[in-house]
């Protein structure tokens, strides 16, 4: 896999040339790195599913360079969406709309809806702008494994199976976009992410998903996900970490004795945004061959902390199946 500087115009041109030929290309976004294909090209999109070993029932997000042509892809734009577009695009908010026919079924896993976002990373924007087509892209990791926040995570996962990754530096948020859908009396959050519920609720009413009967589980919302290879257990603090042959993911500097072999601290000052930006890269570092398990501290579910805990809970449900050839 070639790693090219995404700030360089020639790198963008090469990526566009590959995408036009039906290839897939990895690129940076402000949340995590994505693995993209031209959204109109079902065969190229199929390559994404193959390379990621992603089940075909799990839909992809379509990335645009701005909201100007949104109406070409979706049937209607509710007034709540107009407000959120003004407030959060470009940025890490994915909105689910009823799709038009131009979006192939493989992108949406046969659903009548499509998730769309406008990323704010300048390299992603430049890529889509130069290509002049929407880009379908999941996170650039093996299905079920942790999302890549650094270019070397992508290079390690896909080696020879993806021709090119554009380097855009470390992802700023480190957590995927927030995914929402629209309903008569408000929006439902399908995946907590980089835009917090608090931020959303300044613009729209949020429907409590547990109390609502109108929302079905999206096929991609599996109870396990984001998993390290080693089993992960949630703990309240060092005294819960009884196995010494382990890694330990702390929120702040652990208080009291801790027997773990490897320790990472997400944010010494207790800043949840900093914790989010370190989250996947630290978890990937702690997922090592020389340990039996990973302990991760529960953190406050305020702000982006909610998105971190959602991922930790899913990671604790199951550990990933072995990856044959890419680690
Ligand atoms: O930040 C992000 O969103 C990153 C970057 C690359 O943009 N992308 C990302 O994609 O996280 P992915 O494929 O790893 O996660 C997208 C999830 C799917 O698993 C699925 O649950 C949900 O988005 N999704 C996509 N389209 C949907 C739809 N039409 N209805 C419900 N959920 C949908
Ligand atoms: Mg993903």
């Amino acid at each position: 896999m070639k790693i090219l500087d995404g700030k360089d115009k020639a790198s963008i041109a090469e990526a566009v040339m590959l995408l036009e030929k039906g290839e897939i290309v990895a690129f940076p976004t402000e949340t995590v790195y994505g693995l993209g294909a031209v959204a109109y090209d079902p065969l190229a999109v199929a390559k994404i599913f193959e390379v990621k070993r992603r089940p075909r029932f799990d839909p992809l997000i379509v990335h645009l360079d701005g909201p100007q042509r949104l109406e070409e892809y979706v049937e209607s734009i509710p007034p709540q969406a107009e407000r959120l577009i003004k407030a959060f695009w470009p940025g890490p908010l994915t909105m689910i709309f009823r799709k038009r026919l131009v979006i192939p079924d493989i992108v949406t896993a046969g659903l009548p809806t499509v998730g769309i976002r406008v990323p704010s990373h300048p390299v992603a924007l430049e890529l889509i702008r130069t290509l002049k087509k929407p880009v379908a892209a999941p996170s650039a990791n093996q299905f079920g494994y942790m999302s890549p926040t650094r270019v070397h995570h992508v290079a390690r996962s896909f080696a020879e199976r993806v021709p090119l990754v554009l380097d855009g530096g470390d992802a700023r948020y480190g957590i995927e976009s927030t995914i929402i859908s629209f309903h008569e009396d408000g929006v439902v959050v399908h995946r907590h992410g980089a835009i917090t519920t608090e931020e959303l609720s300044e613009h729209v009413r949020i429907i409590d998903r547990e109390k609502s009967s109108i929302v079905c589980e999206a096929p991609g919302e599996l109870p396990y996900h984001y998993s390290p290879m080693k089993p992960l257990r949630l703990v309240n603090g060092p005294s819960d970490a009884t196995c010494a042959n382990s890694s330990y993911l702390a929120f702040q500097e652990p208080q009291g004795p801790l027997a773990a072999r490897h320790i990472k601290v997400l944010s010494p000052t207790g800043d949840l945004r900093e914790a989010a930006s370190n989250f996947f890269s630290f978890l990937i570092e702690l997922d090592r061959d020389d340990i039996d398990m990973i302990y991760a501290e529960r953190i406050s579910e305020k702000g982006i902390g909610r998105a971190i805990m959602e991922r930790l809970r899913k990671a604790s449900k199951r550990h990933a199946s072995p990856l044959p050839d890419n680690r």
Side-chain angles (χ1 to χ4, degrees), residues 70 76-87 89 93 95 97 180 182 187 204:
L70 185 57
S76 68
I77 306 170
Q80 304 180 87
E82 304 271 11
R83 288 207 292 281
L84 294 176
I85 287 169
K86 281 207 185 78
W89 277 5
L93 181 65
M95 302 189 218
F97 301 95
I180 57 163
F182 299 99
V187 307
V204 287

Side-chain angles (χ1 to χ4, degrees), residues 38-49:
V38 172
Y40 300 142
D41 183 344
L43 288 179
V45 173
K47 278 190 195 164
I48 294 180
F49 283 90

Side-chain angles (χ1 to χ4, degrees), residues 52 54 138-139 141 147 176 191 225-226:
K52 270 191 68 116
R54 179 179 176 118
S139 51
N141 53 278
S147 294
E176 299 87 342
R191 174 174 76 183
H225 219 122
Y226 312 110

